[in-house]
Amino acid sequence: MKKITETFSPEETFALGEKTGREAEPGSLIALIGDLGVGKTVFTQGVAAGLGITEPVSSPTFTILQIYEEGRLPFYHFDVYRIGDPQEMEEIGYEDYFFGEGLCMVEWANLIEELLPRDCTRITIEKDPDRGFDYRRITVESLAE
Ligand code: ADP
Ligand code: MG
């Protein structure tokens, strides 16, 4: 499956995340790909809201992993931007989360490509300067039909 959605504000990207969070199945992983400032965290905040998480979700850049337990599913929010090499993921015990029963969200997933489960959902967010400052193209790809 490949689906492209265009958004024109942070609120629309948040709303798409919210829908994704409402529909997420236990044990799934979303690989989020896109440059700095493109909206990965905005989307993630929407997902958290869709899961029923009320506590604020920020970018866990300095902690790599933030865990939220209050929603419909456990929510594991990774931001691997500062990962030096995949060995650091081993030290965190990433497999417990990647292959657990919650929903796993990985910002900058392209940096740990070799660790991603084959059946993960890939979401790529891109800007297009010709379409305006707040325009984003969000491509969702998964093995599911
Ligand atoms: P990332 O996590 O990818 O580094 P953030 O989500 O932290 O990026 O920041 C995205 C920034 O872009 C926010 O300041 C947000 O308000 C802004 N923005 C503007 N338009 C959009 C849009 N359509 N979708 C998401 N964010 C947008
Ligand atoms: Mg971020």
Side-chain angles (χ1 to χ4, degrees):
M1 185 275 278
K2 178 167 173 171
K3 185 164 189 278
I4 297 174
T5 305
E6 297 177 304
T7 71
F8 300 88
S9 68
E11 291 76 18
E12 278 183 66
T13 297
F14 184 96
L16 183 65
E18 219 174 357
K19 180 173 182 290
T20 305
R22 278 197 305 270
E23 295 172 356
E25 288 170 16
S28 46
L29 185 145
I30 298 173
L32 256 187
I33 297 155
D35 293 339
L36 197 66
V38 86
K40 298 182 297 299
T41 297
V42 169
F43 182 85
T44 301
Q45 288 165 339
V47 170
L51 287 171
I53 294 163
T54 57
E55 67 182 287
V57 171
S58 58
S59 219
T61 296
F62 296 98
T63 51
I64 299 178
L65 169 63
Q66 208 88 56
I67 300 174
Y68 302 88
E69 301 272 14
E70 66 164 310
R72 178 174 64 82
L73 300 173
F75 185 48
Y76 309 121
H77 180 200
F78 286 83
D79 184 323
V80 301
Y81 184 62
R82 278 167 204 281
I83 279 269
D85 75 272
Q87 179 62 36
E88 284 177 53
M89 291 293 284
E90 304 280 353
E91 284 157 21
I92 295 168
Y94 78 95
E95 285 164 305
D96 292 348
Y97 309 103
F98 277 29
F99 304 101
E101 287 304 303
L103 172 61
C104 207
M105 176 70 75
V106 186
E107 295 193 40
W108 292 100
N110 50 302
L111 299 179
I112 54 149
E113 187 68 48
E114 60 267 52
L115 302 182
L116 297 176
R118 202 182 70 91
D119 63 352
C120 71
T121 299
R122 286 167 188 271
I123 301 185
T124 307
I125 311 180
E126 295 159 295
K127 296 186 186 182
D128 182 348
D130 294 341
R131 304 288 302 273
F133 192 67
D134 290 344
Y135 171 86
R136 301 291 189 272
R137 184 173 50 247
I138 302 176
T139 307
V140 180
E141 289 169 283
S142 69
L143 291 179
E145 296 186 20

